[in-house]
């Protein structure tokens, strides 16, 4: 049987539309004045599906972030004109954004300062680009409402604290707390386990999801969290230090 032919007045059938590209897992701003490092990091992140912007100075990074807010920033500490600590401070002043710091410094005090100004994580040069991509994914998952291994659910309440795991919002005495990704995760985890003492290694596994890392990261985050939830951070009544063990949340937690 002959195939029916199209009349001159019938349009030719259009080819099927190609499927839409998969959504990007997020936009990452890479800030490093070392061209080689920036290219390698951007290349690995791009191959992992991220949209990547690049800046080689602090002012350029702030301008890019103001024009198109990134989902996460990979930020070198040693930048010309404005160091990474100041860039992080200014970005955090404009609103919450996860920050992973890159540092070639071996001094623990410098790494601790990076965490204290609001960084969620840091990676010491030389580093594995694949490990950095994994850490970017880990921080981004936890920064989003559905992220994290902890089960999401009802509000967590203890005294004047209220934590909403679904919306990733926390309040103290009615006022909203400005918490970083890891601070929020740490507070929610402690509220879910009141009265139980956790070692720093256990907190790193449960909150950060890592089996390795610098334990001073946990110490700094506890100190930062105390400054936001305690009446007297120097004499904490909620997040207690258990000498020789780690930390314990003292206070009855209710859900709902």
């Amino acid at each position: 049987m002959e195939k029916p032919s199209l009349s001159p007045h019938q349009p030719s059938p259009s080819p099927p539309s190609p499927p839409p590209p998969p959504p990007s897992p997020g936009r990452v701003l890479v800030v490093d004045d070392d061209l080689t490092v920036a290219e390698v990091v951007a290349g690995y992140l791009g191959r992992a599906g991220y949209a990547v912007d690049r800046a080689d100075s602090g002012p350029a990074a702030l301008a890019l972030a103001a024009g198109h807010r990134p989902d996460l920033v990979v930020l070198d500490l040693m930048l010309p004109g404005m160091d990474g600590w100041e860039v992080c401070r200014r970005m955090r002043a404009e609103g919450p954004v996860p920050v992973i710091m890159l540092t070639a410094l071996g001094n623990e005090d410098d790494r601790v300062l990076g965490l204290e100004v609001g960084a969620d994580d840091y990676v010491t040069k030389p580093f594995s680009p694949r490990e950095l991509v994994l850490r970017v994914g880990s921080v981004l998952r936890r920064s989003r409402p559905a992220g994290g291994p902890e089960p999401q659910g009802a509000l967590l309440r203890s005294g004047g604290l209220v934590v909403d795991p679904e919306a990733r919002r926390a309040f103290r005495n009615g006022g909203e707390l400005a918490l970083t990704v890891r601070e929020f995760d740490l507070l929610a985890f402690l509220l879910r386990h009141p009265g139980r003492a956790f070692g720093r290694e256990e907190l790193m596994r449960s909150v950060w999801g890592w089996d390795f890392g610098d334990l001073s990261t946990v110490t700094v985050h506890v100190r930062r969290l105390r400054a936001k939830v305690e009446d007297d951070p120097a004499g904490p009544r909620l997040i207690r230090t258990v000498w020789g063990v780690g930390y314990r949340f003292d206070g009855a937690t209710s859900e709902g």
Side-chain angles (χ1 to χ4, degrees):
M1 179 181 296
E2 294 184 0
K3 295 181 180 179
S5 60
L6 293 173
S7 73
H9 304 290
Q10 289 179 304
S12 300
S14 58
S17 301
S24 167
R27 177 171 292 274
V28 179
L29 173 58
V30 177
V31 188
D32 199 312
D33 64 325
D34 186 320
L35 180 61
T36 300
V37 172
E39 286 182 345
V40 170
V41 171
Y44 271 80
L45 288 169
R47 286 191 289 276
Y50 295 96
V52 182
D53 295 319
R54 284 169 47 185
D56 60 3
S57 70
L62 294 173
L64 276 173
H68 195 148
R69 192 73 173 171
D71 297 302
L72 182 142
V73 182
V74 176
L75 177 62
D76 187 29
L77 275 180
M78 307 304 291
L79 294 169
M82 181 188 300
D83 61 38
W85 293 297
E86 182 61 23
V87 175
C88 187
R89 285 191 191 97
R90 296 192 186 191
M91 284 190 178
R92 299 285 308 163
E94 295 299 320
V97 58
V99 175
I100 296 178
M101 283 192 166
L102 302 179
T103 173
L105 301 174
N107 190 332
E108 182 179 346
D109 292 340
D110 293 314
R111 300 197 300 270
V112 167
L113 178 58
L115 294 169
E116 287 185 334
V117 298
D120 296 279
D121 193 7
Y122 70 87
V123 176
T124 303
K125 297 179 181 179
F127 58 87
S128 163
R130 290 175 180 169
E131 179 191 342
L132 177 59
V133 171
L134 291 174
R135 292 202 180 199
V136 167
S138 173
V139 173
L140 277 175
R141 282 192 299 273
R142 288 180 172 272
S143 70
R144 291 164 177 163
E150 284 290 329
Q152 305 297 309
L155 299 181
L156 303 170
R157 305 175 186 269
S158 183
L161 293 174
V162 178
V163 172
D164 184 343
E166 290 285 352
R168 291 189 67 87
R169 301 176 71 186
F171 303 84
R172 178 174 179 264
N173 298 329
E176 186 163 4
L177 296 171
L179 301 179
T180 67
V181 173
R182 300 299 189 189
E183 289 169 357
F184 182 92
D185 293 337
L186 180 58
L187 179 60
F189 181 82
L190 292 173
L191 279 169
R192 287 190 176 101
H193 304 91
R196 178 178 167 186
F198 292 94
R200 292 189 299 170
E201 296 90 345
E202 190 171 2
L203 288 172
M204 181 158 281
R205 286 194 301 270
S206 299
V207 178
W208 277 257
W210 304 337
D211 291 321
F212 62 92
D214 186 344
L215 296 180
S216 66
T217 299
V218 178
T219 306
V220 171
H221 278 77
V222 168
R223 183 162 65 242
R224 279 183 7 202
L225 190 55
R226 281 171 169 165
K228 298 178 180 181
V229 304
E230 298 279 2
D231 292 328
D232 178 12
R237 303 176 67 87
L238 294 174
I239 305 174
R240 302 276 193 143
T241 297
V242 181
W243 298 109
V245 179
Y247 304 99
R248 180 186 68 236
F249 184 83
D250 281 352
T253 300
S254 61
E255 298 190 29

